[in-house]
């Protein structure tokens, strides 16, 4: 049943003294904090989500595009709307383990991702990168993945800086559909 909509902030028992602040609850973040979808070990058979995602349909796996050796998928825990990753199908941890062909396709799919994000969302810029190893910030260090994070002028506001909350204006399934539709087609 849907909660009734009011203009008054809802007071919830146990959250402290009422202070006139509204709270933007993001319970999906707790799943990430608690390690949901994290592998149990470094092997491909240890529950690696990047190995299991390609077995799903594009819609269920939030896959935007598939190549011969890499695929593009939305990040389940995005920094901004449209945050995606270019991931090799092969379970490898280090960039130096890519073959020459995989390196080229990863680069080409990164370029295509930028094109699709500009077309679908008018992104002004991008943060692109890989975190190699747990100590470097890799959430899933055992399977290489490159982040492509779209940015817009003025996209950083008080919410993440002061409120420590990220506001994402679109559901992942809707973002996946828009980007898949905007994905550049060879020869087009």
């Amino acid at each position: 049943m849907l909660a009734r909509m009011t203009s008054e902030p809802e007071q919830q028992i146990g959250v402290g003294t009422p202070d006139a602040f509204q709270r933007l609850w993001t319970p999906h973040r707790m799943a990430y904090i608690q390690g949901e979808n994290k592998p149990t070990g470094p092997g491909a058979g240890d529950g690696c989500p990047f190995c299991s995602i390609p077995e799903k349909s594009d819609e269920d796996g939030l896959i935007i595009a598939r190549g011969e050796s890499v695929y593009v998928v939305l990040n389940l825990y995005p920094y901004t709307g449209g945050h995606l990753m270019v991931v090799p199908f092969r379970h490898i941890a280090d960039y130096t383990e890519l073959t020459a062909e995989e390196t080229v396709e990863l680069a080409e799919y990164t370029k295509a991702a930028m094109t699709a994000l500009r077309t679908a969302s008018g992104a002004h810029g991008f943060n692109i990168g890989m975190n190699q190893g747990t100590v470097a910030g890799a959430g899933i260090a055992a399977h290489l993945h490159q982040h492509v994070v779209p940015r817009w002028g003025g996209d950083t506001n008080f919410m993440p800086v002061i409120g420590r909350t990220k506001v994402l204006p679109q559901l992942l399934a809707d973002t996946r559909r828009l980007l898949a539709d905007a994905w550049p087609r060879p020869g087009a």
Side-chain angles (χ1 to χ4, degrees):
M1 177 173 225
L2 293 174
R4 65 182 171 82
M5 299 297 288
T6 72
S7 59
E8 293 297 314
E10 181 180 331
Q11 298 299 321
Q12 184 173 355
I13 297 171
V15 297
T17 306
D19 55 12
F21 282 96
Q22 294 189 52
R23 271 122 181 117
L24 184 61
W25 299 104
T26 57
H28 62 280
R29 292 294 300 165
M30 187 54 69
Y32 177 75
I33 292 166
Q34 293 176 335
E36 180 178 285
N37 296 321
K38 294 274 183 154
T40 57
D46 293 330
C48 176
F50 295 134
C51 288
S52 63
I53 288 170
E55 298 169 2
K56 301 176 182 180
S57 71
D58 288 356
E59 291 77 14
D60 290 341
L62 298 174
I63 296 171
I64 296 163
R66 295 174 190 252
E68 293 295 319
S69 58
V70 302
Y71 67 95
V72 179
V73 63
L74 286 177
N75 190 323
L76 280 179
Y77 312 103
Y79 296 129
T80 65
H83 176 175
L84 54 80
M85 296 171 291
V86 183
V87 185
F89 287 112
R90 196 162 60 94
H91 185 85
I92 56 172
D94 197 88
Y95 186 70
T96 62
E97 296 176 56
L98 289 171
T99 65
E101 293 79 16
E102 288 168 330
T103 303
V104 168
E105 192 170 69
L106 187 131
E108 290 298 325
Y109 273 65
T110 299
K111 289 169 52 178
M114 293 172 65
T115 300
L117 284 161
R118 283 189 179 120
T119 300
S121 68
H124 298 148
F126 298 90
N127 294 118
I128 297 174
M130 298 178 203
N131 300 321
Q132 294 283 270
T134 304
V135 298
I140 299 175
H143 198 131
L144 180 73
H145 53 285
Q146 176 156 270
H147 294 265
V148 180
V149 182
R151 302 301 304 268
W152 298 266
D155 67 0
T156 301
N157 60 28
F158 73 94
M159 290 300 285
V161 176
I162 296 183
R164 299 193 47 81
T165 301
K166 293 178 181 159
V167 179
L168 301 170
Q170 193 171 53
L171 295 173
L172 290 174
D174 295 338
T175 303
R176 192 219 69 83
R177 182 182 35 77
L178 286 171
L179 290 173
D181 290 346
W183 193 260
R185 306 292 182 238

